[in-house]
Structures are given as structure tokens and as C-alpha cells.
Amino acid sequence: QVQLVESGGGLVQAGGSLRLSCAASGRTFSSYHMGWFRQAPGKEREFVAAITRSGGSTLYADSVKGRFTMSKDSAKNTVCLQMNSLKPEDTAVYYCAADPRGVYSRRSPLGYDYWGQGAQVTVSS
């Protein structure tokens, strides 16, 4: 079993930046692909970003390309999401997730067996 704990959420004005972190325990990241998803009030959970287990490849939703950057520090069992040029539409609860198999598309939540508790990100206009 792996446990995921997000941190770094908060309130920021439009155009500002936030950095989310996700720390894993129980197992190392060597066996897992990692992803970030978000869910705004009244909306379905949507894909934000993903990274391979080696950290060598990243994938981003079109809505965040050029603004968000995902990274992985295997030595610390931590993944981060650097969010720049934030917009009010980025307001959501952000979830860190771990995929142990890599069978499904990284954009789909189906393959992610482990989820963090969520971190609230609020962007004011």
C-alpha cells in the first residue's frame, strides 16, 4: 500500500503561482506512474498532468500546457506541480494519484489506484 499526502494549496490572485507537492510513503516511486487531477465544484474530475515512473516523460492537459510543470524526485519519493500564470478557472481541489501498472491511458483516472486527500487551490480575479 502507498499513501499520498498533498501540500502547498492556498489562495492566490490571477497571474500568480503556487507549487503543489505530493509525498509518498509505503513504497518508493520506482514502481509507479504519477498523475495530477483536479475537480471544481459541480464538475467532473479532470486530468491535469502525468509523469512516467522514471520521470523521463511528462504529459499535460491542453488547458495547462505552458503554465504548469510536473516533476518527480525519486530520492525523496515526491512529485510536484508548479503552477504559473494561474487563472480563476484553475480553481479546484487538486489530487495526486499513483498508477502501479501503466495499463490505461495516463489521462484516465482508471489506472490510478492510490489517491491523495486533495489540496484546495483558489484563484481570485
Side-chain angles (χ1 to χ4, degrees), residues 25-65:
S25 62
R27 296 186 183 182
T28 68
F29 281 176
S30 62
S31 300
Y32 299 96
H33 300 281
M34 301 295 296
W36 287 97
F37 291 77
R38 67 186 183 186
Q39 187 166 20
K43 296 183 178 180
E44 295 294 318
R45 186 171 299 184
E46 66 173 340
F47 170 78
V48 176
I51 195 166
T52 56
R53 61 180 180 270
S54 68
S57 180
T58 51
L59 180 69
Y60 299 97
D62 289 342
S63 59
V64 305
K65 285 182 179 178

Side-chain angles (χ1 to χ4, degrees), residues 2-37:
V2 60
Q3 298 180 40
L4 305 174
V5 180
E6 298 105 332
S7 62
L11 174 65
V12 66
Q13 289 189 307
S17 298
L18 283 174
R19 185 177 180 86
L20 300 180
S21 295
C22 175
S25 62
R27 296 186 183 182
T28 68
F29 281 176
S30 62
S31 300
Y32 299 96
H33 300 281
M34 301 295 296
W36 287 97
F37 291 77

Side-chain angles (χ1 to χ4, degrees), residues 21-124:
S21 295
C22 175
S25 62
R27 296 186 183 182
T28 68
F29 281 176
S30 62
S31 300
Y32 299 96
H33 300 281
M34 301 295 296
W36 287 97
F37 291 77
R38 67 186 183 186
Q39 187 166 20
K43 296 183 178 180
E44 295 294 318
R45 186 171 299 184
E46 66 173 340
F47 170 78
V48 176
I51 195 166
T52 56
R53 61 180 180 270
S54 68
S57 180
T58 51
L59 180 69
Y60 299 97
D62 289 342
S63 59
V64 305
K65 285 182 179 178
R67 300 189 298 119
F68 291 11
T69 302
M70 187 175 183
S71 60
K72 183 177 185 179
D73 187 340
S74 295
K76 298 180 179 180
N77 284 344
T78 301
V79 294
C80 294
L81 184 68
Q82 178 66 46
M83 303 182 292
N84 298 325
S85 301
L86 283 162
K87 305 174 181 179
E89 50 263 46
D90 294 319
T91 295
V93 177
Y94 284 70
Y95 297 92
C96 177
D99 175 358
R101 298 176 296 277
V103 173
Y104 298 96
S105 168
R106 288 187 289 165
R107 289 184 169 90
S108 171
L110 295 177
Y112 295 89
D113 287 348
Y114 306 100
W115 295 82
Q117 82 286 354
Q120 177 69 53
V121 172
T122 302
V123 184
S124 62

